[in-house]
Amino acid sequence: GCPRKAWAELQSKFAIEAEPETEADEETETESPTDAMRFGTLYHTFLLEPDEFLKSAAVLDAYVTNRLFEEALATGSKARGFSKKLATYKAWKQDRESRGITIVNERDAAKMEDMRETLFRDDEIQSELASVEKTEISVYFGLPVSGSKMEAPFVQCKARLDAWYPGVILDLKTCRSAHPLEFARTIPQLGYDTQFAWYRIAAKCAGLDVSRCGFIAQEAAFPYLHALHWMPDEWLSYSRKEVMRIYYQLAPCIASGVYPGYGNGDILPPAWLEETIEMNA
């Protein structure tokens, strides 16, 4: 109900400058929400695009730390063991990051190995992943803007599908709980249902056949429990209507460049209070 806020939140996702890293940050083992998202992104690539993971990630394992420590000693360092304060480590890190390579600590790398091994013990999930023909697909498409005065009366849109094979879209989700009841509650809370609806709209525009959508949900804590949850057609149909309702509210703002705020006027009571007010009028 507030296009201006939606636009501001969208813009915030593309911030260029990050918070500077401190020495305390380097040594901490406490996982923040950002850490969880980062791990989930890494695991996506590790599981769905293993070859790409080898190119885009460098594991800071015992072999690397020993080598960097030995190089530091060879250059006159008095350190008694490996530390992220070593000049050799900082140079190694800067080199990898300058080439767009993500540094993965040994603990996270071992955790991803264990999670994949656990997931592949499930024959149904292993069969689904073996059927996948394309992963991490970026789909660009246009949706119409009713009454637009633009030269091209369409808004350019994008969707990024985790995995697809004819008739099926799969989406990998690392989560706190893959239990059907718990995970079902997170679907509308985090917009996973509208996300799938958006994927289906994109797939249709791109000529990709999609009749089923399923979540491969896996807990990121030992013993890495998992489940394959298929979305019911009725839920997806409702989600599509919700997505298009949101789109048709926002599309004119994109076309005009004007994003209204909340607006002024009489405020209405919440539904649970409205009945009480009417009874006491």
Side-chain angles (χ1 to χ4, degrees), residues 21-28 60 65 68-69 72-73 75 77-93:
E21 187 181 73
T22 65
E23 290 183 5
D25 292 331
E26 290 182 349
E27 301 299 332
T28 183
L60 185 64
T65 56
L68 293 174
F69 175 55
L73 293 178
T75 57
S77 173
K78 303 299 182 182
R80 296 183 179 182
F82 173 78
S83 167
K84 290 183 178 179
K85 296 178 182 180
L86 291 174
T88 51
Y89 166 74
K90 291 181 178 179
W92 178 84
K93 178 184 178 184

Side-chain angles (χ1 to χ4, degrees), residues 32-65:
S32 69
T34 303
D35 293 329
M37 291 176 64
R38 175 180 172 276
F39 179 83
T41 301
L42 283 171
Y43 186 55
H44 267 70
T45 308
F46 179 80
L47 182 69
L48 300 175
E49 297 184 298
D51 292 338
E52 180 60 28
F53 181 83
L54 294 175
K55 298 176 184 176
S56 62
V59 179
L60 185 64
D61 55 17
Y63 172 78
V64 174
T65 56

Side-chain angles (χ1 to χ4, degrees), residues 6 17 30 37 43-44 49 53-54 56-57 76 79 94 119 123 134 167-168 174 192 213 225 232 239 269 273 275:
E17 297 183 2
T30 303
M37 291 176 64
Y43 186 55
H44 267 70
E49 297 184 298
F53 181 83
L54 294 175
S56 62
Q94 183 178 9
L119 195 66
D123 292 339
K134 294 182 181 295
V168 174
T174 51
Y192 292 163
C213 295
L225 295 174
S239 298
L273 182 58
E275 184 176 349

Side-chain angles (χ1 to χ4, degrees), residues 248-274:
Y248 284 123
Q249 181 185 12
L250 192 59
C253 300
I254 298 173
S256 65
V258 178
Y259 295 84
Y262 291 118
N264 306 319
D266 291 345
I267 193 165
L268 298 176
W272 61 268
L273 182 58
E274 187 174 9

Side-chain angles (χ1 to χ4, degrees), residues 5-31:
K5 187 174 183 179
W7 182 242
E9 290 176 352
L10 178 64
Q11 289 177 310
S12 70
K13 295 178 184 291
F14 297 93
I16 296 175
E17 297 183 2
E19 291 288 333
E21 187 181 73
T22 65
E23 290 183 5
D25 292 331
E26 290 182 349
E27 301 299 332
T28 183
E29 295 293 333
T30 303
E31 186 179 76

